[in-house]
């Protein structure tokens, strides 16, 4: 193997190591984003349930409220 071939091999190995590190970092970011999406999806589900409960529960009109004790 010539010196030039060895330098090229070292350069390729260095680039490969860099790409492997980038792939691991991207994988970590994607995993974190997946967890965030799951958490936000669950929160949206809970909020939709609460909204449904509020829509089903009849609200009282202000005139139906008993007057405060000082009247």
């Amino acid at each position: 193997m010539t010196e030039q071939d060895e330098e090229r091999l070292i350069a390729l190995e260095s680039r490969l190591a860099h790409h492997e590190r980038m792939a691991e970092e991207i994988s970590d970011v994607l995993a974190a984003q997946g967890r965030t999406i799951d958490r936000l999806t669950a929160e949206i589900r809970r909020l939709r349930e609460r909204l449904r409960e509020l829509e089903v529960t009849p609200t009282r009109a202000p005139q139906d409220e008993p007057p405060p004790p000082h009247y």
Side-chain angles (χ1 to χ4, degrees):
M1 182 179 278
T2 67
E3 187 177 319
Q4 185 181 13
D5 290 340
E6 192 171 325
E7 288 175 4
R8 288 181 64 204
L9 182 60
I10 291 170
L12 286 172
E13 288 174 341
S14 175
R15 288 160 90 188
L16 176 62
H18 174 71
H19 286 286
E20 286 175 340
R21 186 170 27 97
M22 279 184 9
E24 287 177 16
E25 289 174 0
I26 289 171
S27 178
D28 292 344
V29 168
L30 287 174
Q33 287 178 343
R35 288 189 299 272
T36 300
I37 289 170
D38 291 344
R39 184 178 49 80
L40 292 173
T41 301
E43 181 68 21
I44 288 172
R45 193 174 295 120
R46 283 191 298 271
L47 290 171
R48 283 182 179 160
E49 273 303 309
R50 261 187 92 192
L51 185 58
R52 276 191 208 113
E53 289 171 5
L54 290 173
E55 288 174 344
V56 170
T57 306
T59 56
R60 294 161 84 186
Q63 62 269 22
D64 295 341
E65 296 266 337
H70 64 278
Y71 276 107

